[in-house]
Amino acid sequence: MNFLQQLHLPDEKRLRHWLPPAVAVIFLFAMLAIASSITTKTQISVGVVALAVFLILRQFNEQETVRVIFLILAAFLSIDYFYWRTFTTLTYHDPVSFLFAMLLYFAEAYGFIVYLLSIFVNVDPLDRKPLPLPEDGELLPSVDVLIPTYNEDPELLEVTLLSALDINYPKDKLKVYLLDDGGTDQRCQSEDPEFAAAAKHRRLELQSLCLKWGAQYITRAKNLGSKAGNINNGLHFSNGDLVAIFDADHAPTSDFLQKTVGWFRHDPKLFLVQTPHFFVNPDPIEKNLQTFSTMPGENEMFYKVIQRGLDYWNSAFFCGSAAVLRRTCLAETGGLAGDTITEDAETALTLHAKGYNSAYIGTPMISGLSPETLTSFIGQRIRWAQGMVQIFLLKNPLLIPGLTLPQRLCYFSSCFFWFFSYARVAFMLAPLCFLIFGLKIYDSNFVDFAAFAVPHLLAVVIVSDFLFGKVRWTFVSELYELIQSVYTLPAIFKVFLNPRAPTFKVTAKGETLGDDYISPLARPFYFFLIFNIVALIFGVTRLIVTPAESFPTGITMMWAGFNVFILLAAMGTLFERRQRRATPRMPITKSARVKLGKKFYTAEIRDLSIQGCGLVLDPAFESLFVEGSSLEMTIPDDPQFQEATFHIAIRNARREPGALFVGGQFEHASLEEMKLKVLLVNGNSQRWTDFQNSRERRIGVIRSGLFLLALGVRFSIQHFGHVMLVANSKRAEKSFETSQQSA
Amino acid sequence: MTMTPQPKRKPSPCRGLAIMTLFLAALVPAASAQQARVPVIPAAEPTVPMAPPSPFSPATATAPEPAFKSQVQSFRLPLRRLIPLDSPMMLRNASSIYTVFVPQSARFQAKSYGLRLKFTNSIALLTERSVLRVVMNDIIVAQFYLDRTKPFSDVDIQIPLNLVKTGFNRMQFIVAQHYTYKCEDPAAPELYTEINPDESYLTTTGEWKPVTERLSFLRWWIDEKLWIPYQFNICMPASGAMTDEHLSLGAIVTQGIALAVNNQPFRVTTATALRPGMDNIVVGSMNELAPFLTATEVGTINGSFLAIKSLPGDPTHCMIIVSGRSPQEVKQTALALGMVNFPLPDSKYAIVDQMTMPENAYVRNAPMRLPGVYSFRQLGFQTTTIKGWNTGTYMLKLYMPGDISADDKSNVELRLHFVYGAGFRKDSVFNVFVNNQFQTAIRLKDVEGSLHSDHRLYLPMQAFQPGLNEVSLTPKMIPLVTNQCEVLQDENLQFTLFEDSDFVFPKAMRKARLPNLGLFSQTAFPYSAPPDGIETAVFVGGRAPETACAAWTLMGKMAQISGALLSNTEISSKLPRSRKSLLIVGPRDEIPPEVLAKAPVSPLQVGKMRYVVSTSPKPEKYASSPIEEFLLKVRGQSGERSEPEPPSTANLNMTADLIDDIVAVQFESPFHTGYPVTLVTAWDADNLLAGINVLQEREFWDSLAGDLAVWSTRPNSLAVAKVGNDFIFKATNLVTRVSSRFDQQPWFFALIVLVLIALLALGVRAALRKREHPE
């Protein structure tokens, strides 16, 4: 044993892991030590130069070195700000002011920590490519596909099952299991005869479905452990080397295993390959603001940037679906961990702590459904928030043994993020404290604020755009977080009171909405909006009455104005639009041939869903393609579908400039046609990638702000118009009833 | 009172020997003697008959004291002593008041009081309606017409004895001045009367009271209200060879006395025996003080011992015994005496059982801690209402740290809570001054009156100076109706400033640029930072008692400035080389050569000094903006000077040694970078002490500046100059020096930050690449 070994120094590999963050932290603290001894004037110079450099460097964000310079400079400015914020602006005036000052400070501290962690996590996102599989199928590991279900529609399940069965993989190495928790013995023997009958009916229906398509049906005696318990039961009855898990509404593409299994062969310590969740329908916020086809989806920030960043630090975690896991690793933890309601992340954390690796492939290879209503959406987010807070409390990544420092920071970042609800509510109410109640919650003068806070705030916005601008437009995060915060905050509080209390609740999918209506979740946001507008009015009064306080009043009014801006967009999202299709049609460009009667016509498929498609034809045939007619469609250019014929009933036809658009519904005549239809709709991952890419673009901070402002104004007007309409109609109904009674 | 300087003593080699002889003779009977002979220095000055020591207890008294005949004495106190230096006593407008506070010591029994008043009034005054009255403690003692035909007046006023009380007496000079019988402008410029503060003076005649032999009476006995400098002798029987321990004890006692007399001058001597005609503080261990004590008294000493009794043969002066069984106990007693504000027991003696010094030394003039929020209440301000027209100013005194920087661009925030009355004219204002310089104002524009609960103002940090700062807040309230010939209603002119108003101090730049004798005189910086003087060392050159007294006097003055006892200062006759700010006091021959070598000018031969030559001032910066500076740099010229250049000097070789002059020079320590040496020297110890005694006077002390001061005992003899190079206090480590540099060149700092971040980024990038990468 040499001298160095005797010192128990970390080996070179570990040193390499630790060195960058250690160097960064030491350096930043050294800079801070100097910064703490310089004056405001010097700080202004630093801020001005740094911002100028920011604006130049952001043009070169693809260059890795520039990216690192950019992020370290941003971190320096923010640490400098927070040092000043901590040691200069927290002043005691009176108990109430101090209380609210501290509440605001904690909210800022949250933002500061999350921001620094975000810089660390995303310093160098990994773009991992799939590894090719060997041509000899014998060398491939066997794979079990597990599809847990609880109460989903059998029609939806059938699509998922068929997609799973269509996966391109040696058939003798692939088994598909439907894990039904809706037809357990416990439910079938329920004391409620109606409930028991429904459960038995579901069991029989799904059993026949599996029998029809060649999948295995598995259920169990009791609904123990929710989704994790269901999957663990499935693991017990299956034996493949690898396990692919898909939610009931997550239909995989045919190349799913082709692009994921290769990494398991390459790295024997790999326990997980996670892929993105791709949704074919808009989430309620996208739907209500009508941004689905124009703006990047909400989850793209996570799946296109953050998971890649986590992957760089070997911290990409299991997201519950669209992932492949190694059975032997799962066996070490007794299956999926079940202490929390986010069993997926918890399992990944446990296996990372055991020294196993994870990987993330950024290609979307499943198509799923977002929750359709805000209520379902919030319910889903409450579960995630509660689950991650449970991990924070019960299995805190900073404390549990086995993780590397970067992994600890990454997991901590993932858990700690979910406290955003506290920060959002605090930021929403803070301007009121000063403008309405005159509480002194932030002690600063103009010069100091300009020197320390302004560079930090601008840096935060610029860095956010720099890191995520393509996939998350500026201020969109604020909107999403605000909508969730009011409801996740009490849920998190409950977790603190009893960390083991939360239970798994299945998110409703595939709902349709018949009419427009105001979401029942809207009430707190009315209060926020009213309070902030009142605060602005108070602010104007303050400006007139106490002009000497124009600086703090002006700044706080800008803050309240920003809140109003976000709240207007929130008003738009809270006006629920009707949803006609449970499975919306996704765009596609594919040439086809249609046969109407005995004649063939050239057409182009414009959109496609599991229920139907949209075709574009020559407008000259307008008189032929009428509602109610039937036609047959073939796709001669695609070898995969050369033999296939799809039967379609025309549901509508309309003239468009230079084209005839025909909307049709699939009417499959055979099992084979059904199977091919699923393959056509869900089989191609490139289609999902293309769709994502079509929305992915950076529009910049100002345009993004204007975009959101326009949406907010437009849809909040509609929101309040609808409120007045409903109120008027109720009033009219009431007066009609009164007149009837009096008559 | 006469401001006669101490008579100059010529060096007398025989005198020390005489003292020693007397001391040795007195040592013989020592502890066992009940009737000990007290060593006494023969009186060279007004002789006080000496008598055997009187015991503490009347029961043990064995020898009657001869009757002491108190002498009637007269003193004179110029009004200048009661007002700020260089400030006129001007009474303007139709009515005006000037107030001074006349001290009256509890030690002095006055038999008469008088005021000689010399003033000049305007020749435009209407004599019949213009009156000056003199008010003592709210009672009018004299009044005069201000005669336009006799503008120069010289009057003598007798002040009734019963109006003068022990303590500070309020004396007011109040004028009513008019120039017409008709309606007039009350603020007309011709309405003035000026009192000459240098030639107007108070006189008193009386005699000294006998000593009250109670320790509690010390608070009144060592008195700032004396009209002459308080004079005392530190009698240390064992200090024939002045050791460091003696130096330390003397320093503590002197500082305690200095603090007790507040900011007033004092005179200290030291000897191995008592000195007549002044209070004596006898310091030494139980055995050393045996000649001064009876056996009973010695037996009483079972710890740190503090006692008071009359000086033998002179009941008007006291003898304060500072003793103990061991040197530690003696030091503890000295510290107890130094705690002047601590009430001592109402007894003749006390044993100090235990004394714990606070962790943070008590500081009367404690500087603000920056950053921080201070309410006016904390600064001694109480909610006060000002009524009427031009009737008052709110004054707050702030002590700023000695190392705040003039380069600091930050602001002090003032959060005011005030209310003002209704019916103000719209040009009424609330002015804010810092150190008599106008800074900002609030317009009192609401005719209906208004309450401001958190009115924020910003004062530049640069307006504040190290040490004492005066912030004055003056409401200038003007009534709505001010037409001439109309009755002026001023009852509506009310302004209340509340004590919960705040000062919010920023995190100020802490960077003291030395040498700076002005900073030393204003704040005692850096010797009083921290206030207990633990980072200060004093070197006393030579063993002459006068040198020790000179060092103690200087330390006493420093204690007065900072308001704290330098209890942990290292004082030695060996040159301290520790990392501390060094004060060197000694005659010219005792100054270590290695210290002299670093001095910018030889203080031994001031005639050979360099004199500052007046030249065209060089600009501190050549560029007015960063862009211009950048362009200058591109052209290869420097846009900004990093350091102010030392003044241009000319060498003038005049061979003239120190004779009567005293020299103080401050420069960077030859032993430790970033620490100062302040060297005070003179031809000999007598000259040195006389010079430092003179230096205590306001005219000298307040005029110290630059890094070189030369003066003599003659009035107005002080000359100051700046001859050496600057350095930053404690700029010893790299971070401080770098930070200081950056502060001067913020754009350069910004560039350095960017470069360092780029380097770090390259390092991190390289490290990231080395990670095991799946790609």
mmCIF file of all heavy atoms in Angstrom, chain A residues 165-188:
data_model
loop_
_atom_site.group_PDB
_atom_site.id
_atom_site.type_symbol
_atom_site.label_atom_id
_atom_site.label_comp_id
_atom_site.label_asym_id
_atom_site.label_seq_id
_atom_site.Cartn_x
_atom_site.Cartn_y
_atom_site.Cartn_z
ATOM 1 N N LEU A 165 -47.420 -5.087 -28.432
ATOM 2 C CA LEU A 165 -47.213 -6.336 -29.190
ATOM 3 C C LEU A 165 -46.549 -6.066 -30.529
ATOM 4 O O LEU A 165 -45.917 -6.951 -31.106
ATOM 5 C CB LEU A 165 -48.564 -7.037 -29.378
ATOM 6 C CG LEU A 165 -49.141 -7.654 -28.091
ATOM 7 C CD1 LEU A 165 -50.624 -7.939 -28.258
ATOM 8 C CD2 LEU A 165 -48.371 -8.934 -27.737
ATOM 9 N N ASP A 166 -46.714 -4.824 -31.016
ATOM 10 C CA ASP A 166 -46.114 -4.459 -32.308
ATOM 11 C C ASP A 166 -44.636 -4.091 -32.180
ATOM 12 O O ASP A 166 -43.997 -3.755 -33.179
ATOM 13 C CB ASP A 166 -46.856 -3.258 -32.895
ATOM 14 C CG ASP A 166 -48.093 -3.695 -33.667
ATOM 15 O OD1 ASP A 166 -48.161 -4.889 -34.011
ATOM 16 O OD2 ASP A 166 -48.971 -2.851 -33.884
ATOM 17 N N ILE A 167 -44.124 -4.069 -30.974
ATOM 18 C CA ILE A 167 -42.718 -3.660 -30.787
ATOM 19 C C ILE A 167 -41.815 -4.604 -31.571
ATOM 20 O O ILE A 167 -41.982 -5.840 -31.542
ATOM 21 C CB ILE A 167 -42.349 -3.680 -29.292
ATOM 22 C CG1 ILE A 167 -43.045 -2.521 -28.569
ATOM 23 C CG2 ILE A 167 -40.843 -3.554 -29.098
ATOM 24 C CD1 ILE A 167 -42.835 -2.516 -27.080
ATOM 25 N N ASN A 168 -40.902 -4.000 -32.253
ATOM 26 C CA ASN A 168 -39.988 -4.749 -33.106
ATOM 27 C C ASN A 168 -38.915 -5.416 -32.251
ATOM 28 O O ASN A 168 -37.917 -4.796 -31.889
ATOM 29 C CB ASN A 168 -39.368 -3.757 -34.108
ATOM 30 C CG ASN A 168 -38.495 -4.466 -35.116
ATOM 31 O OD1 ASN A 168 -38.444 -5.708 -35.145
ATOM 32 N ND2 ASN A 168 -37.808 -3.687 -35.938
ATOM 33 N N TYR A 169 -39.139 -6.682 -31.941
ATOM 34 C CA TYR A 169 -38.221 -7.431 -31.083
ATOM 35 C C TYR A 169 -38.517 -8.911 -31.299
ATOM 36 O O TYR A 169 -39.678 -9.270 -31.560
ATOM 37 C CB TYR A 169 -38.467 -7.056 -29.615
ATOM 38 C CG TYR A 169 -37.255 -7.284 -28.713
ATOM 39 C CD1 TYR A 169 -36.138 -6.444 -28.797
ATOM 40 C CD2 TYR A 169 -37.249 -8.312 -27.772
ATOM 41 C CE1 TYR A 169 -35.053 -6.634 -27.962
ATOM 42 C CE2 TYR A 169 -36.166 -8.491 -26.938
ATOM 43 C CZ TYR A 169 -35.056 -7.655 -27.032
ATOM 44 O OH TYR A 169 -33.975 -7.858 -26.218
ATOM 45 N N PRO A 170 -37.531 -9.777 -31.205
ATOM 46 C CA PRO A 170 -37.818 -11.208 -31.422
ATOM 47 C C PRO A 170 -38.982 -11.666 -30.544
ATOM 48 O O PRO A 170 -38.978 -11.419 -29.333
ATOM 49 C CB PRO A 170 -36.511 -11.884 -31.016
ATOM 50 C CG PRO A 170 -35.468 -10.850 -31.224
ATOM 51 C CD PRO A 170 -36.115 -9.540 -30.934
ATOM 52 N N LYS A 171 -39.943 -12.291 -31.198
ATOM 53 C CA LYS A 171 -41.184 -12.609 -30.489
ATOM 54 C C LYS A 171 -40.960 -13.581 -29.339
ATOM 55 O O LYS A 171 -41.688 -13.555 -28.349
ATOM 56 C CB LYS A 171 -42.222 -13.183 -31.465
ATOM 57 C CG LYS A 171 -42.659 -12.170 -32.509
ATOM 58 C CD LYS A 171 -43.252 -10.915 -31.883
ATOM 59 C CE LYS A 171 -43.417 -9.804 -32.927
ATOM 60 N NZ LYS A 171 -43.612 -8.496 -32.334
ATOM 61 N N ASP A 172 -39.943 -14.432 -29.484
ATOM 62 C CA ASP A 172 -39.709 -15.375 -28.403
ATOM 63 C C ASP A 172 -39.022 -14.723 -27.200
ATOM 64 O O ASP A 172 -38.888 -15.319 -26.139
ATOM 65 C CB ASP A 172 -38.846 -16.541 -28.888
ATOM 66 C CG ASP A 172 -37.518 -16.072 -29.443
ATOM 67 O OD1 ASP A 172 -37.477 -14.920 -29.978
ATOM 68 O OD2 ASP A 172 -36.517 -16.785 -29.308
ATOM 69 N N LYS A 173 -38.621 -13.518 -27.392
ATOM 70 C CA LYS A 173 -37.957 -12.803 -26.287
ATOM 71 C C LYS A 173 -38.846 -11.708 -25.715
ATOM 72 O O LYS A 173 -38.421 -10.958 -24.856
ATOM 73 C CB LYS A 173 -36.664 -12.145 -26.798
ATOM 74 C CG LYS A 173 -35.653 -13.097 -27.385
ATOM 75 C CD LYS A 173 -34.588 -13.417 -26.365
ATOM 76 C CE LYS A 173 -33.571 -14.393 -26.956
ATOM 77 N NZ LYS A 173 -32.408 -14.545 -26.116
ATOM 78 N N LEU A 174 -40.054 -11.606 -26.186
ATOM 79 C CA LEU A 174 -40.921 -10.504 -25.769
ATOM 80 C C LEU A 174 -42.250 -11.035 -25.272
ATOM 81 O O LEU A 174 -42.920 -11.798 -25.971
ATOM 82 C CB LEU A 174 -41.164 -9.551 -26.953
ATOM 83 C CG LEU A 174 -42.073 -8.356 -26.678
ATOM 84 C CD1 LEU A 174 -41.397 -7.364 -25.740
ATOM 85 C CD2 LEU A 174 -42.436 -7.655 -27.986
ATOM 86 N N LYS A 175 -42.620 -10.693 -24.055
ATOM 87 C CA LYS A 175 -43.935 -11.054 -23.525
ATOM 88 C C LYS A 175 -44.601 -9.793 -23.012
ATOM 89 O O LYS A 175 -43.959 -8.943 -22.405
ATOM 90 C CB LYS A 175 -43.802 -12.057 -22.383
ATOM 91 C CG LYS A 175 -43.466 -13.448 -22.841
ATOM 92 C CD LYS A 175 -43.387 -14.391 -21.661
ATOM 93 C CE LYS A 175 -42.969 -15.781 -22.130
ATOM 94 N NZ LYS A 175 -42.635 -16.647 -20.987
ATOM 95 N N VAL A 176 -45.907 -9.686 -23.281
ATOM 96 C CA VAL A 176 -46.651 -8.501 -22.850
ATOM 97 C C VAL A 176 -47.655 -8.922 -21.785
ATOM 98 O O VAL A 176 -48.403 -9.868 -21.963
ATOM 99 C CB VAL A 176 -47.382 -7.853 -24.054
ATOM 100 C CG1 VAL A 176 -48.201 -6.656 -23.597
ATOM 101 C CG2 VAL A 176 -46.383 -7.434 -25.115
ATOM 102 N N TYR A 177 -47.619 -8.222 -20.655
ATOM 103 C CA TYR A 177 -48.490 -8.528 -19.528
ATOM 104 C C TYR A 177 -49.394 -7.338 -19.246
ATOM 105 O O TYR A 177 -48.924 -6.208 -19.135
ATOM 106 C CB TYR A 177 -47.678 -8.827 -18.265
ATOM 107 C CG TYR A 177 -46.800 -10.058 -18.386
ATOM 108 C CD1 TYR A 177 -45.518 -9.982 -18.938
ATOM 109 C CD2 TYR A 177 -47.259 -11.304 -17.932
ATOM 110 C CE1 TYR A 177 -44.707 -11.091 -19.037
ATOM 111 C CE2 TYR A 177 -46.445 -12.429 -18.029
ATOM 112 C CZ TYR A 177 -45.179 -12.324 -18.581
ATOM 113 O OH TYR A 177 -44.382 -13.424 -18.688
ATOM 114 N N LEU A 178 -50.655 -7.611 -19.114
ATOM 115 C CA LEU A 178 -51.587 -6.579 -18.665
ATOM 116 C C LEU A 178 -51.828 -6.824 -17.173
ATOM 117 O O LEU A 178 -52.345 -7.874 -16.782
ATOM 118 C CB LEU A 178 -52.911 -6.659 -19.442
ATOM 119 C CG LEU A 178 -53.908 -5.548 -19.132
ATOM 120 C CD1 LEU A 178 -53.379 -4.185 -19.581
ATOM 121 C CD2 LEU A 178 -55.248 -5.821 -19.819
ATOM 122 N N LEU A 179 -51.439 -5.886 -16.358
ATOM 123 C CA LEU A 179 -51.531 -6.060 -14.903
ATOM 124 C C LEU A 179 -52.756 -5.299 -14.428
ATOM 125 O O LEU A 179 -52.752 -4.082 -14.304
ATOM 126 C CB LEU A 179 -50.269 -5.509 -14.220
ATOM 127 C CG LEU A 179 -48.930 -5.960 -14.825
ATOM 128 C CD1 LEU A 179 -47.762 -5.295 -14.107
ATOM 129 C CD2 LEU A 179 -48.796 -7.482 -14.752
ATOM 130 N N ASP A 180 -53.798 -6.035 -14.187
ATOM 131 C CA ASP A 180 -55.092 -5.391 -13.918
ATOM 132 C C ASP A 180 -55.364 -5.280 -12.417
ATOM 133 O O ASP A 180 -55.517 -6.288 -11.728
ATOM 134 C CB ASP A 180 -56.198 -6.222 -14.597
ATOM 135 C CG ASP A 180 -57.557 -5.575 -14.376
ATOM 136 O OD1 ASP A 180 -57.595 -4.344 -14.147
ATOM 137 O OD2 ASP A 180 -58.567 -6.296 -14.420
ATOM 138 N N ASP A 181 -55.417 -4.049 -11.942
ATOM 139 C CA ASP A 181 -55.769 -3.820 -10.537
ATOM 140 C C ASP A 181 -57.247 -3.453 -10.401
ATOM 141 O O ASP A 181 -57.718 -3.247 -9.284
ATOM 142 C CB ASP A 181 -54.906 -2.693 -9.946
ATOM 143 C CG ASP A 181 -53.948 -3.220 -8.880
ATOM 144 O OD1 ASP A 181 -53.796 -4.460 -8.780
ATOM 145 O OD2 ASP A 181 -53.350 -2.402 -8.165
ATOM 146 N N GLY A 182 -57.917 -3.367 -11.550
ATOM 147 C CA GLY A 182 -59.353 -3.058 -11.495
ATOM 148 C C GLY A 182 -60.191 -4.310 -11.352
ATOM 149 O O GLY A 182 -61.390 -4.229 -11.062
ATOM 150 N N GLY A 183 -59.603 -5.475 -11.563
ATOM 151 C CA GLY A 183 -60.372 -6.718 -11.478
ATOM 152 C C GLY A 183 -59.817 -7.652 -10.430
ATOM 153 O O GLY A 183 -59.843 -8.878 -10.603
ATOM 154 N N THR A 184 -59.252 -7.116 -9.374
ATOM 155 C CA THR A 184 -58.680 -7.968 -8.319
ATOM 156 C C THR A 184 -59.778 -8.713 -7.581
ATOM 157 O O THR A 184 -60.970 -8.336 -7.644
ATOM 158 C CB THR A 184 -57.903 -7.099 -7.306
ATOM 159 O OG1 THR A 184 -58.790 -6.095 -6.825
ATOM 160 C CG2 THR A 184 -56.693 -6.457 -7.922
ATOM 161 N N ASP A 185 -59.380 -9.764 -6.874
ATOM 162 C CA ASP A 185 -60.366 -10.532 -6.089
ATOM 163 C C ASP A 185 -61.060 -9.617 -5.090
ATOM 164 O O ASP A 185 -62.265 -9.730 -4.858
ATOM 165 C CB ASP A 185 -59.647 -11.658 -5.326
ATOM 166 C CG ASP A 185 -59.015 -12.652 -6.283
ATOM 167 O OD1 ASP A 185 -59.358 -12.612 -7.494
ATOM 168 O OD2 ASP A 185 -58.159 -13.450 -5.847
ATOM 169 N N GLN A 186 -60.276 -8.742 -4.516
ATOM 170 C CA GLN A 186 -60.835 -7.825 -3.512
ATOM 171 C C GLN A 186 -61.982 -7.003 -4.084
ATOM 172 O O GLN A 186 -63.036 -6.863 -3.464
ATOM 173 C CB GLN A 186 -59.716 -6.902 -3.026
ATOM 174 C CG GLN A 186 -60.121 -5.905 -1.984
ATOM 175 C CD GLN A 186 -59.002 -4.924 -1.689
ATOM 176 O OE1 GLN A 186 -57.869 -5.092 -2.104
ATOM 177 N NE2 GLN A 186 -59.340 -3.882 -0.960
ATOM 178 N N ARG A 187 -61.792 -6.531 -5.297
ATOM 179 C CA ARG A 187 -62.827 -5.702 -5.912
ATOM 180 C C ARG A 187 -64.001 -6.554 -6.395
ATOM 181 O O ARG A 187 -65.154 -6.167 -6.304
ATOM 182 C CB ARG A 187 -62.240 -4.911 -7.064
ATOM 183 C CG ARG A 187 -61.322 -3.786 -6.603
ATOM 184 C CD ARG A 187 -60.526 -3.190 -7.733
ATOM 185 N NE ARG A 187 -61.339 -2.451 -8.690
ATOM 186 C CZ ARG A 187 -61.613 -1.140 -8.592
ATOM 187 N NH1 ARG A 187 -61.138 -0.466 -7.584
ATOM 188 N NH2 ARG A 187 -62.359 -0.547 -9.489
ATOM 189 N N CYS A 188 -63.647 -7.753 -6.935
ATOM 190 C CA CYS A 188 -64.719 -8.620 -7.428
ATOM 191 C C CYS A 188 -65.600 -9.129 -6.288
ATOM 192 O O CYS A 188 -66.767 -9.499 -6.500
ATOM 193 C CB CYS A 188 -64.136 -9.825 -8.177
ATOM 194 S SG CYS A 188 -63.364 -9.355 -9.742
#
